[in-house]
């Protein structure tokens, strides 16, 4: 069976004051039907830009796909017309954006915003779309959905607005759902509820999920396979359990070690929380023919500063782009 989504050697460039920078550099991955994968990494690593490239929403006049292919059911989206992309967005491929308060239109009720998607892509009449909006609010566990369907976004809590965004994204039963930091700024209880909701909806609808996050705990709870991004490149890829048990890239290991742990004994002396020194390099450094993590890596060697590391396989779909991956 052909994969649902296949990204091949994708290169996305942004025009900056310092020149053109490859914010996505030679990225390849495959997403199967009903599969869940996650892109992990710090801010500025290229996770959200990958999602925008798939959706055909790169910043106009600034960003462009320089090379590579994005195949959805065999169709190359990099060659699709704007009209074709509009017909796919919200219908076959949907996205939950990071901040629901800025993603939702403040002057329309949440019901109108859900119904608009249904009228545009499903051809429903006004009343049928309104009734379906109520059903979707109920599906995402908004209390009293018939009473809340006419509320405006400011009348809802952050967790409820995120549920509305999920309802909009799932209104047309898309084949792929991209969730970009779906629990940002939500408290841990609401985060757990959102994750439970996404898992249940995926089980019911068979929608494949691409989750974008920097939270390794969320990755462990939500997805089967993960892709660790750094400076626009794929640092490591593989099954979640394999990577967490034995990360093969120093950056991945650093992300895992940054996760705080609760101690069982409150009298126990807590050690310092590990951190990755330094910051993600600026766009001007993206694309250089070396390991871009070298300046922050405790395992750096001269070779790391001179040549880009190849991707080394470690079985069962696990691979890492590090010169010293075998030593990890």
């Amino acid at each position: 069976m052909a994969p649902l989504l296949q990204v091949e050697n994708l290169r996305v460039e942004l025009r900056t004051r310092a020149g053109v920078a490859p914010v996505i550099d030679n990225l390849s991955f495959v997403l199967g039907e009903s599969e869940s994968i996650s892109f992990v990494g710090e801010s500025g690593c290229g996770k959200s830009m990958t999602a925008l490239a798939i959706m055909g929403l790169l910043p106009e006049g600034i960003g462009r796909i320089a090379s590579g292919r994005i195949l959805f059911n065999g169709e190359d989206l990099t060659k699709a017309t704007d009209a074709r992309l509009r017909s796919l967005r919200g219908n076959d491929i949907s996205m939950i954006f990071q901040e629901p308060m800025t993603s939702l239109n403040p002057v329309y009720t949440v019901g109108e915003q859900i119904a608009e998607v249904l009228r545009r892509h499903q051809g429903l009449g006004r009343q049928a779309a309104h009734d379906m909006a109520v059903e979707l609010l109920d599906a995402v566990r908004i209390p009293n959905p018939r009473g809340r369907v006419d509320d405006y976004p400011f009348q809802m809590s952050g967790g409820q607005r995120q549920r509305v965004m999920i309802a909009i994204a799932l209104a047309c039963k898309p084949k792929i759902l991209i969730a970009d930091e779906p629990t940002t700024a939500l408290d841990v209880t609401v985060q757990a509820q959102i994750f439970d909701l996404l898992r249940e909806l995926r089980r019911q609808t068979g929608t494949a999920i691409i989750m974008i996050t920097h939270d390794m705990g969320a990755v462990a709870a939500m997805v089967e396979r993960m892709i660790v991004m750094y400076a626009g490149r794929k640092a490591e890829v593989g099954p979640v359990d394999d990577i967490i048990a034995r990360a093969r890239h120093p950056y991945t290991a650093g992300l895992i070690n940054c996760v705080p742990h609760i101690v069982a004994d409150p009298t126990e002396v807590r050690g310092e929380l590990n951190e990755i020194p330094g910051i993600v390099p600026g766009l001007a450094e993206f694309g250089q023919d070396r390991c871009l993590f070298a300046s922050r890596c405790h395992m750096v060697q001269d070779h790391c500063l001179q040549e880009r590391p190849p991707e080394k396989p470690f079985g069962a779909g696990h691979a890492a782009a590090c010169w010293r991956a075998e030593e990890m």
Side-chain angles (χ1 to χ4, degrees), residues 192-259:
Q193 293 171 354
I194 295 296
F195 289 149
D196 287 342
L197 175 61
L198 288 173
R199 277 194 295 266
E200 178 64 17
L201 292 172
R202 176 178 167 234
R203 186 187 66 79
Q204 293 177 355
T205 64
T207 298
I209 293 179
I210 299 175
M211 191 171 75
I212 296 169
T213 185
H214 61 273
D215 184 347
M216 294 296 289
V219 172
M222 276 297 299
V223 303
E224 304 155 349
R225 194 159 52 91
M226 63 190 289
I227 298 171
V228 181
M229 296 282 290
Y230 188 77
R233 298 176 183 174
K234 185 166 58 176
E236 188 164 3
V237 60
V240 169
D241 292 343
D242 288 356
I243 290 181
I244 291 178
R246 188 171 185 183
R248 292 288 189 170
H249 196 287
Y251 180 61
T252 309
L255 290 175
I256 295 171
N257 291 332
C258 284
V259 178

Side-chain angles (χ1 to χ4, degrees), residues 1-163:
M1 181 180 296
L4 181 62
L5 181 72
Q6 188 169 356
V7 175
E8 299 177 350
N9 304 317
L10 181 66
R11 181 182 176 93
V12 176
E13 296 178 345
L14 282 186
R15 192 168 63 230
T16 70
R17 293 179 180 178
V20 175
V23 291
I24 304 297
D25 191 0
N26 198 39
L27 174 66
S28 297
F29 71 93
V30 172
L31 175 69
E33 292 184 4
S34 302
E35 188 182 10
S36 60
I37 66 172
S38 181
F39 283 88
V40 186
E42 297 165 277
S43 296
C45 284
K47 309 183 304 297
S48 294
M49 201 61 66
T50 300
L52 294 177
I54 294 170
M55 295 290 291
L57 292 174
L58 292 173
E60 190 174 353
I62 300 174
R64 73 183 187 100
I65 295 176
S67 60
R69 300 196 301 169
I70 301 173
L71 302 176
F72 172 67
N73 276 337
E75 178 184 0
D76 190 354
L77 300 187
T78 64
K79 298 178 180 178
T81 63
D82 290 342
R84 175 57 178 156
L85 290 174
R86 284 194 298 270
S87 72
L88 289 172
R89 284 195 295 263
N91 192 29
D92 293 293
I93 307 175
S94 289
M95 185 167 176
I96 304 171
F97 292 92
Q98 286 189 29
E99 178 44 63
M101 195 59 204
T102 57
S103 300
L104 292 171
N105 193 321
V107 302
Y108 290 96
T109 66
V110 296
E112 289 174 320
Q113 296 184 62
I114 298 172
E116 179 186 9
V117 178
L118 294 164
R119 291 197 302 269
R120 177 180 179 85
H121 292 295
Q122 301 294 310
L124 297 186
R126 185 167 295 276
Q127 186 59 50
H130 181 273
D131 293 341
M132 183 59 72
V134 174
E135 292 182 20
L136 285 163
L137 289 179
D138 184 51
V140 297
R141 302 172 193 167
I142 295 286
N144 184 24
R146 194 163 293 280
R148 303 303 301 274
V149 72
D150 294 321
D151 282 357
Y152 290 89
F154 75 88
Q155 295 174 287
M156 293 187 155
S157 68
Q160 289 172 334
R161 289 194 295 265
Q162 193 63 286
R163 292 170 190 267

Side-chain angles (χ1 to χ4, degrees), residues 233 288-292 294 300-309 323:
R233 298 176 183 174
Q288 293 184 3
D289 194 20
R290 63 180 179 85
C291 176
L292 296 178
V300 62
Q301 296 178 330
D302 289 343
H303 195 49
C304 305
L305 303 172
Q306 299 167 358
E307 192 174 352
R308 178 172 175 166
W323 288 112

